[in-house]
Amino acid sequence: MTTQKKFASHADLEVKKVSFDKLSDNAYAYTAEGDPNTGIIIGDDAVMVIDTQATPIMAQDVIRHIRTVTDKPIKYVVLSHYHAVRVLGASGYKTEGAEHIIASQDTYDLIVERGEQDKASEIGRFPRLFQAVESVPPGMTWPTMTFKGEMTLWLGKLEVKLMQVGRGHTKGDTIAWIPSQKVLFSGDLVEFDATPYAGDAYYEDWPATLDAIAALKPEKLVPGRGAALQTAEQVAAGLKGTREFVSELYASVKAGAQAGKDLKAVYRETFDRLKPKYGHWVIFDHCMPFDVTRAYDLATGHTDPRIWTAERDIEMWKALEG
């Protein structure tokens, strides 16, 4: 007898061990065994945080780690993209000197279009990751500064580039890049030993976006989930794993859709095809229904991702896993 899978990450209740790794004189990674990562850049006069954690209470733990290495103000908060689990902790940095919340204009547009729905949807999916969700202020996390394409910030003499090198995980994806040290913060464009969430993805663009990241020749990379990649070989492995997962999943779904199969049949087929290679990755069972649904939409003419709501999440889960 098979037991029904618990919805999304409802079965994932184990607290993860946090690592705080130094990547260079200026760059650190806050990671937690496949939970969403936060990147930290310490400049001459200020600190930049890339992705904030899911609640202000969880942001406090990031701040505690930062304070072990610097007392400089955390002036800049960068959103690599908009998903609630990445951004709702932003208000936690105000007491530490945060002056600007920076995102791409595409990310800002996504908040306008679907921010409220995404927030309700994700809080429903990840009970453990939204510790003290009541500490999140009402309303949205709004950027105070947006850019198109690329912007450069100087933290004293340290150059940090914020760049959109292509769509992938969302249309708003932004990387942070320290050219002088070859250190890159990818957000969820790259994952390591963790399943890419692709419910809002542009599958056909994602591989080329990864190629654009590879062309920068990063020697160290902080992925959206998974351990910090600390050698060029590890970076290449992270890029390759993400590219293969996204490409194999979309190829499987597209072939099924073109053969006229319905979503549930395509889901089962694709799940069974990918599980032997990727089933051990963090949140595989959680991501697959969302990933396949988005891929099926794209393969059947929905160019842009449909909005996920708490209701749509449950409906889709029951249809595919019920």
Short mmCIF file of all heavy atoms in Angstrom, two decimals, residues 277-300:
data_model
loop_
_atom_site.label_atom_id
_atom_site.label_comp_id
_atom_site.label_asym_id
_atom_site.label_seq_id
_atom_site.Cartn_x
_atom_site.Cartn_y
_atom_site.Cartn_z
N LYS A 277 18.45 9.49 -10.98
CA LYS A 277 19.62 10.39 -11.04
C LYS A 277 19.54 11.51 -10.02
O LYS A 277 20.56 11.93 -9.46
CB LYS A 277 19.73 10.94 -12.47
CG LYS A 277 20.96 11.81 -12.72
CD LYS A 277 21.10 12.14 -14.20
CE LYS A 277 22.20 13.15 -14.48
NZ LYS A 277 22.27 13.49 -15.92
N TYR A 278 18.32 12.04 -9.78
CA TYR A 278 18.19 13.26 -8.97
C TYR A 278 17.37 13.09 -7.69
O TYR A 278 17.23 14.03 -6.91
CB TYR A 278 17.53 14.37 -9.80
CG TYR A 278 18.24 14.69 -11.08
CD1 TYR A 278 17.70 14.30 -12.32
CD2 TYR A 278 19.46 15.36 -11.09
CE1 TYR A 278 18.36 14.58 -13.51
CE2 TYR A 278 20.12 15.65 -12.28
CZ TYR A 278 19.56 15.25 -13.49
OH TYR A 278 20.22 15.54 -14.66
N GLY A 279 16.81 11.90 -7.48
CA GLY A 279 15.89 11.70 -6.36
C GLY A 279 16.49 11.95 -4.99
O GLY A 279 15.77 12.22 -4.02
N HIS A 280 17.84 11.88 -4.88
CA HIS A 280 18.50 12.13 -3.58
C HIS A 280 18.71 13.61 -3.32
O HIS A 280 19.11 13.99 -2.22
CB HIS A 280 19.86 11.40 -3.54
CG HIS A 280 20.84 11.91 -4.56
ND1 HIS A 280 20.70 11.68 -5.91
CD2 HIS A 280 21.96 12.67 -4.43
CE1 HIS A 280 21.70 12.26 -6.57
NE2 HIS A 280 22.47 12.87 -5.70
N TRP A 281 18.46 14.46 -4.32
CA TRP A 281 18.65 15.90 -4.13
C TRP A 281 17.58 16.45 -3.17
O TRP A 281 16.43 16.01 -3.20
CB TRP A 281 18.55 16.64 -5.46
CG TRP A 281 19.79 16.56 -6.30
CD1 TRP A 281 20.93 15.84 -6.03
CD2 TRP A 281 20.02 17.21 -7.55
NE1 TRP A 281 21.84 16.02 -7.03
CE2 TRP A 281 21.31 16.86 -7.98
CE3 TRP A 281 19.26 18.08 -8.34
CZ2 TRP A 281 21.87 17.34 -9.17
CZ3 TRP A 281 19.80 18.54 -9.53
CH2 TRP A 281 21.10 18.19 -9.93
N VAL A 282 17.96 17.44 -2.38
CA VAL A 282 17.03 18.11 -1.46
C VAL A 282 15.81 18.61 -2.23
O VAL A 282 15.92 19.08 -3.36
CB VAL A 282 17.76 19.31 -0.80
CG1 VAL A 282 16.80 20.15 0.03
CG2 VAL A 282 18.90 18.81 0.07
N ILE A 283 14.65 18.49 -1.61
CA ILE A 283 13.32 18.93 -2.09
C ILE A 283 12.91 18.38 -3.47
O ILE A 283 12.09 18.98 -4.15
CB ILE A 283 13.08 20.46 -1.98
CG1 ILE A 283 13.97 21.30 -2.91
CG2 ILE A 283 13.16 20.95 -0.55
CD1 ILE A 283 13.58 22.78 -2.99
N PHE A 284 13.43 17.21 -3.85
CA PHE A 284 13.04 16.62 -5.13
C PHE A 284 11.53 16.36 -5.18
O PHE A 284 10.85 16.78 -6.11
CB PHE A 284 13.82 15.31 -5.36
CG PHE A 284 13.48 14.61 -6.66
CD1 PHE A 284 14.04 15.02 -7.86
CD2 PHE A 284 12.59 13.54 -6.67
CE1 PHE A 284 13.73 14.38 -9.06
CE2 PHE A 284 12.28 12.88 -7.86
CZ PHE A 284 12.85 13.32 -9.05
N ASP A 285 11.01 15.68 -4.16
CA ASP A 285 9.57 15.36 -4.15
C ASP A 285 8.71 16.62 -4.11
O ASP A 285 7.63 16.66 -4.70
CB ASP A 285 9.23 14.47 -2.95
CG ASP A 285 9.68 13.02 -3.16
OD1 ASP A 285 10.17 12.72 -4.25
OD2 ASP A 285 9.55 12.22 -2.22
N HIS A 286 9.19 17.63 -3.41
CA HIS A 286 8.45 18.90 -3.32
C HIS A 286 8.38 19.59 -4.69
O HIS A 286 7.32 20.04 -5.12
CB HIS A 286 9.15 19.82 -2.30
CG HIS A 286 8.66 21.24 -2.27
ND1 HIS A 286 8.54 21.94 -1.10
CD2 HIS A 286 8.26 22.10 -3.24
CE1 HIS A 286 8.08 23.17 -1.35
NE2 HIS A 286 7.91 23.28 -2.65
N CYS A 287 9.54 19.67 -5.35
CA CYS A 287 9.63 20.49 -6.58
C CYS A 287 8.97 19.85 -7.80
O CYS A 287 8.44 20.56 -8.65
CB CYS A 287 11.09 20.77 -6.91
SG CYS A 287 11.88 21.95 -5.81
N MET A 288 9.05 18.54 -7.91
CA MET A 288 8.68 17.90 -9.18
C MET A 288 7.27 18.23 -9.68
O MET A 288 7.10 18.54 -10.86
CB MET A 288 8.91 16.40 -9.10
CG MET A 288 10.37 16.00 -9.22
SD MET A 288 11.13 16.46 -10.80
CE MET A 288 10.37 15.25 -11.89
N PRO A 289 6.22 18.20 -8.83
CA PRO A 289 4.90 18.53 -9.36
C PRO A 289 4.83 19.96 -9.93
O PRO A 289 4.24 20.20 -10.99
CB PRO A 289 3.96 18.36 -8.16
CG PRO A 289 4.68 17.40 -7.27
CD PRO A 289 6.13 17.73 -7.43
N PHE A 290 5.47 20.91 -9.24
CA PHE A 290 5.47 22.30 -9.70
C PHE A 290 6.30 22.44 -10.98
O PHE A 290 5.90 23.12 -11.94
CB PHE A 290 6.04 23.22 -8.61
CG PHE A 290 5.21 23.25 -7.35
CD1 PHE A 290 5.53 22.45 -6.27
CD2 PHE A 290 4.10 24.09 -7.25
CE1 PHE A 290 4.76 22.47 -5.10
CE2 PHE A 290 3.33 24.12 -6.09
CZ PHE A 290 3.66 23.31 -5.02
N ASP A 291 7.47 21.77 -11.00
CA ASP A 291 8.37 21.87 -12.15
C ASP A 291 7.74 21.29 -13.42
O ASP A 291 7.82 21.88 -14.50
CB ASP A 291 9.68 21.12 -11.86
CG ASP A 291 10.54 21.81 -10.80
OD1 ASP A 291 10.08 22.81 -10.21
OD2 ASP A 291 11.67 21.34 -10.55
N VAL A 292 7.12 20.12 -13.26
CA VAL A 292 6.53 19.47 -14.43
C VAL A 292 5.30 20.25 -14.91
O VAL A 292 5.09 20.41 -16.11
CB VAL A 292 6.17 17.99 -14.12
CG1 VAL A 292 5.35 17.38 -15.26
CG2 VAL A 292 7.46 17.18 -13.90
N THR A 293 4.51 20.78 -13.98
CA THR A 293 3.34 21.56 -14.37
C THR A 293 3.75 22.78 -15.19
O THR A 293 3.16 23.08 -16.24
CB THR A 293 2.53 22.00 -13.13
OG1 THR A 293 2.09 20.83 -12.43
CG2 THR A 293 1.32 22.83 -13.51
N ARG A 294 4.78 23.50 -14.73
CA ARG A 294 5.26 24.67 -15.49
C ARG A 294 5.82 24.24 -16.86
O ARG A 294 5.54 24.89 -17.87
CB ARG A 294 6.31 25.43 -14.68
CG ARG A 294 7.07 26.49 -15.46
CD ARG A 294 6.18 27.55 -16.09
NE ARG A 294 6.93 28.42 -17.00
CZ ARG A 294 6.42 28.98 -18.10
NH1 ARG A 294 5.16 28.78 -18.45
NH2 ARG A 294 7.17 29.75 -18.85
N ALA A 295 6.58 23.15 -16.88
CA ALA A 295 7.15 22.68 -18.15
C ALA A 295 6.04 22.29 -19.13
O ALA A 295 6.11 22.59 -20.33
CB ALA A 295 8.08 21.50 -17.90
N TYR A 296 4.99 21.65 -18.62
CA TYR A 296 3.86 21.24 -19.46
C TYR A 296 3.13 22.47 -20.00
O TYR A 296 2.76 22.53 -21.18
CB TYR A 296 2.91 20.36 -18.65
CG TYR A 296 1.85 19.64 -19.47
CD1 TYR A 296 2.13 18.42 -20.09
CD2 TYR A 296 0.57 20.18 -19.61
CE1 TYR A 296 1.16 17.75 -20.83
CE2 TYR A 296 -0.40 19.52 -20.35
CZ TYR A 296 -0.10 18.30 -20.96
OH TYR A 296 -1.07 17.65 -21.69
N ASP A 297 2.95 23.47 -19.13
CA ASP A 297 2.35 24.74 -19.58
C ASP A 297 3.16 25.34 -20.73
O ASP A 297 2.62 25.74 -21.76
CB ASP A 297 2.29 25.75 -18.43
CG ASP A 297 1.07 25.58 -17.54
OD1 ASP A 297 0.22 24.72 -17.84
OD2 ASP A 297 0.96 26.33 -16.55
N LEU A 298 4.48 25.40 -20.54
CA LEU A 298 5.36 26.01 -21.55
C LEU A 298 5.29 25.21 -22.86
O LEU A 298 5.18 25.79 -23.94
CB LEU A 298 6.80 26.05 -21.03
CG LEU A 298 7.84 26.73 -21.92
CD1 LEU A 298 7.49 28.20 -22.18
CD2 LEU A 298 9.23 26.63 -21.30
N ALA A 299 5.30 23.90 -22.73
CA ALA A 299 5.28 23.03 -23.92
C ALA A 299 3.94 23.09 -24.65
O ALA A 299 3.84 22.70 -25.82
CB ALA A 299 5.59 21.58 -23.52
N THR A 300 2.89 23.58 -23.95
CA THR A 300 1.57 23.66 -24.58
C THR A 300 1.13 25.11 -24.79
O THR A 300 -0.06 25.40 -24.86
CB THR A 300 0.52 22.90 -23.74
OG1 THR A 300 0.55 23.38 -22.38
CG2 THR A 300 0.79 21.40 -23.72
#
